[in-house]
Amino acid sequence: MNGYTDTIRRWAADDSHTGILSDPDGVGEVGLEAGEAGRKLAVRFTLRRSGRRIDRVRYQVFGCGFTIAACAAAADLAEGSSLETARSIDARQIDAALEGLPAERDYCAAIAARALRAAVDSAERNGAVVHSDHREEVHAPRIAATDPVYRLLMAGENRNGLPEEDRRLFAGAIALAAGEPHVLTHALGLDKAQLSRLLDRHFPQVCLDNLLFLSAHATSLPPESNGDVRRILRSHVPLRADGAPLEEAAWLAEILAARAAFPGHLWVAMGLFERPELTAAIRRHLPTLAAANNENMRWKRYLFKRACEMNGGVMCKSPNCADCSDYSFCFAPDG
């Protein structure tokens, strides 16, 4: 499952670089400026050097196990290296040392890299503490109404009288996936029969073969979806009177499972224009899932947290989410 792998657990439990150095040559911090401490993820690196070589690295962290593991890996990569090498350590190298963080936790490696780089900068400035900015990346929609595939899908007549918000929902996901270097069906988590049926209902003027042609020369597979997340989503698909799943709900569940494996916010990966559209779609088609997320946790966080709990893990170090330094990453208003 995409969570605490054995490798990540080993790094999180490795305390060989934890603590703080007395009289360090460099101090780099994230999340510890005035008014920040205790309110968000925080990392401090201290280092000691001999000339241009780093002799020792220590870190302190306030955050989740993924952030702890990322800091441990960053410290291990930096100790014994040159200042120039340590400054170049980035989130990708840390992620590789951890053998892959979950997509929704990639920011943990970025925070560790920024704090380490700040410590190196501090060492270059005779030990003055360097604060690295820790603002969450602002995510914008990746699809616009002018996208050619989106326009093609939405241009046709709504022959079946289906809700326009559902047509926009599926058009955005299809258009975004069509622009990626992956086989379209894989990127959407649907097989050809499912995608064909979806087109017949919502976009009958669009030929499946024409859409599939867009990804006919795809050279890469999309990120592997999480089986537990898919099972959670499928378990919330309502059934018809005859016991068959409602089609729109089933399609949405499969697409959500596939797109949750992509980096960034789920509403962005779904090809939506605004965050509230995702919650609205889940309320329409997966109402028991919407009711279960009664604290309005961000949807990707919620799904992966539930998957982790199913396997006996705990993704939040605090039993009370409101007390956790990761709160702002997990919860946000839809507006």
Side-chain angles (χ1 to χ4, degrees):
M1 121 179 198
N2 293 334
Y4 284 107
T5 63
D6 288 342
T7 300
I8 292 173
R9 290 180 189 276
R10 283 197 301 272
W11 278 111
D14 183 351
D15 60 0
S16 59
H17 292 95
T18 59
I20 188 169
L21 295 172
S22 59
D23 299 321
D25 295 311
V27 181
E29 298 179 344
V30 169
L32 286 169
E33 292 192 78
E36 292 183 327
R39 298 178 57 190
K40 58 172 64 177
L41 286 172
V43 175
R44 174 187 290 122
F45 274 90
T46 55
L47 62 85
R48 192 171 292 146
R49 64 170 178 159
S50 297
R52 305 296 298 176
R53 182 181 179 276
I54 297 175
D55 289 333
R56 299 182 71 188
V57 179
R58 294 293 182 268
Y59 70 87
Q60 295 173 300
V61 58
F62 176 64
C64 64
F66 296 107
T67 310
I68 295 170
C71 289
D76 190 72
L77 288 167
E79 192 165 279
S81 73
S82 67
L83 291 174
E84 290 76 15
T85 297
R87 181 181 284 108
S88 70
I89 293 171
D90 58 16
R92 288 175 297 177
Q93 290 173 271
I94 295 170
D95 184 73
L98 298 175
E99 297 181 356
L101 283 164
E104 77 283 2
R105 291 282 171 165
D106 53 5
Y107 64 86
C108 298
I111 291 169
R114 288 204 300 273
L116 175 62
R117 192 175 306 119
V120 174
D121 290 342
S122 170
E124 299 276 28
R125 301 177 193 177
N126 299 317
V129 177
V130 173
H131 294 281
S132 178
D133 191 21
H134 177 205
R135 293 191 180 98
E136 186 182 5
E137 181 183 358
V138 176
H139 292 269
R142 292 175 55 198
I143 281 291
T146 55
D147 179 270
V149 176
Y150 183 86
R151 291 176 61 185
L152 171 67
L153 292 164
M154 295 298 294
E157 181 184 357
N158 186 0
R159 300 175 191 171
N160 296 316
L162 298 170
E164 282 298 307
E165 56 264 36
D166 282 346
R167 298 184 77 230
R168 291 195 298 269
L169 167 71
F170 292 121
I174 293 170
L176 181 57
E180 295 170 345
H182 315 300
V183 176
L184 183 61
T185 49
H186 292 176
L188 291 171
L190 302 174
D191 60 31
K192 289 182 67 173
Q194 290 171 313
L195 183 54
S196 177
R197 175 64 179 154
L198 189 160
L199 292 174
D200 286 343
R201 275 181 60 79
H202 291 273
F203 317 106
Q205 81 284 0
V206 176
C207 173
L208 174 61
D209 287 340
N210 288 344
L211 275 184
L212 292 178
F213 178 76
L214 296 174
S215 61
H217 304 292
T219 58
S220 63
L221 291 174
E224 184 178 357
S225 59
N226 185 296
D228 290 324
V229 167
R230 183 182 295 106
R231 282 186 283 275
I232 291 167
L233 288 162
R234 286 176 175 174
S235 72
H236 288 281
V237 173
L239 302 179
R240 301 186 318 210
D242 62 2
L246 294 177
E247 283 188 307
E248 271 77 11
W251 295 331
L252 177 59
E254 298 301 324
I255 296 171
L256 284 170
R259 303 307 296 181
F262 284 74
H265 292 305
L266 183 53
W267 70 271
V268 176
M270 285 291 294
L272 295 170
F273 299 149
E274 297 180 336
R275 183 193 300 274
E277 291 178 290
L278 178 58
T279 296
I282 291 172
R283 286 175 178 162
R284 288 197 306 274
H285 298 295
L286 305 170
T288 58
L289 177 63
N293 185 9
N294 56 14
E295 293 185 340
N296 196 32
M297 182 177 282
R298 293 186 184 184
W299 282 109
K300 184 186 286 190
R301 309 280 182 217
Y302 176 78
L303 292 169
F304 278 91
K305 184 173 186 294
R306 285 287 299 115
C308 185
E309 291 168 349
M310 286 171 56
N311 288 271
V314 179
M315 292 183 73
C316 179
K317 65 180 178 60
S318 170
N320 180 357
C321 281
D323 293 337
C324 179
S325 64
D326 234 355
Y327 187 90
S328 64
F329 289 101
C330 295
F331 297 89
D334 272 342

